Amino acid sequence: MTEEKQFNLILLGPPGAGKGTQAGLLVNAYDLLHVSTGDMLRSAIKEGSATGLKAQEYMSKGELVPDSIVTQLVVDRMGKPDASGGVILDGFPRTKPQAEALDNSLKENGRTIDVVLYVNASLDVIIQRLTGRRVCPECGMNYHITNIPPRKEGVCDTCNVDLFQREDDEPETVKNRLVVYEKSTKDLIGYYREKGLLEEVNGDISAEELFEEVDSLFRGEGLVK
Ligand code: AMP
């Protein structure tokens, strides 16, 4: 794949705005690599690696994992061959130092960010989505008790195993994640707006409706064919 064809996108927004769901739809539509730091950290925890053990201390409380750990994960992942056609960064960067480290790494590798999609959502929608989310421990599929219910209550449609609630989706931790977002991540909206990269969309609407809107936005700007 040539450099010209590469499309690199950042998904920014509060937890629960639907970034992960949008990322799933976008990677399929444009054949990009989905780089989710949350997923990578959860895999590291599952494997019981040193990174996972360290990350768990922070994640269980809804705090941010140190910048150096997540930045290294992303830089390594973006250096793999399957990232050469472009990536969707979901949940990264979350702090100014992460954004700056990403800028440096992209520069060194002759890459650029094409667009930062800021998925905003209202507080009641965010809380309803996060506290109702249930996850399959086998395939990682996200369900929701009312919005995306499995065929059989509490059981994955594909793997037939019990779904679980992420520890950090419990109400007290959700509150802290939102505080952390306001304190550490919200500034990145201004950071990317100043660079002329920000596109804001409304995450309150359904995932399918939002995808159609985003797709026509990207097509209109000639970012995808
Ligand atoms: P997410 O799945 O994106 O909601 O992330 C879940 C948790 O993983 C967050 O609450 C943080 O503890 C941690 N995490 C994910 N991405 C980052 C990041 N870019 N920087 C620091 N911590 C992160």
Side-chain angles (χ1 to χ4, degrees), residues 10-26 34 88-92 94 117-120 129 177 181 203 210:
I10 292 176
L11 289 175
L12 193 65
K19 300 188 299 295
T21 309
Q22 244 3 264
L25 297 168
L26 295 166
H34 182 191
I88 296 189
L89 294 173
D90 165 15
F92 180 92
R94 258 178 159 99
L117 194 67
Y118 168 37
V119 187
N120 202 358
R129 281 195 190 142
R177 287 166 70 198
Y181 170 76
L210 180 56

Side-chain angles (χ1 to χ4, degrees), residues 37-38 41-42 59 63 65 70 91-92 94 98 166 177:
T37 39
L41 293 166
R42 280 184 288 277
M59 289 172 78
E63 298 291 337
V65 173
V70 266
F92 180 92
R94 258 178 159 99
Q98 290 179 19
R166 272 171 49 174
R177 287 166 70 198

Side-chain angles (χ1 to χ4, degrees), residues 177-196:
R177 287 166 70 198
L178 291 168
V179 169
V180 168
Y181 170 76
E182 290 288 327
K183 198 175 74 186
S184 307
T185 310
K186 236 183 156 182
D187 282 353
L188 293 182
I189 297 165
Y191 181 84
Y192 288 114
R193 187 176 278 131
E194 272 173 31
K195 289 180 184 281

Side-chain angles (χ1 to χ4, degrees), residues 161-223:
V161 295
D162 286 347
L163 303 176
F164 72 99
Q165 182 172 33
R166 272 171 49 174
E167 193 182 6
D168 61 348
D169 280 345
E170 285 168 19
E172 272 314 301
T173 319
V174 162
K175 271 194 212 150
N176 194 37
R177 287 166 70 198
L178 291 168
V179 169
V180 168
Y181 170 76
E182 290 288 327
K183 198 175 74 186
S184 307
T185 310
K186 236 183 156 182
D187 282 353
L188 293 182
I189 297 165
Y191 181 84
Y192 288 114
R193 187 176 278 131
E194 272 173 31
K195 289 180 184 281
L197 291 173
L198 202 79
E199 291 288 355
E200 180 171 351
V201 291
N202 175 13
D204 282 355
I205 60 179
S206 76
E208 293 73 21
E209 281 173 303
L210 180 56
F211 171 73
E212 290 204 359
E213 192 180 314
V214 170
D215 184 50
S216 48
L217 179 82
F218 288 173
R219 283 178 201 285
E221 292 188 0
L223 292 166

Side-chain angles (χ1 to χ4, degrees), residues 128-149:
Q128 191 261 3
R129 281 195 190 142
L130 291 177
T131 54
R133 173 160 59 186
R134 298 293 181 273
V135 186
C136 173
E138 298 279 331
C139 67
M141 166 84 183
N142 281 342
Y143 292 88
H144 187 278
I145 49 175
T146 50
N147 304 357
I148 321 165

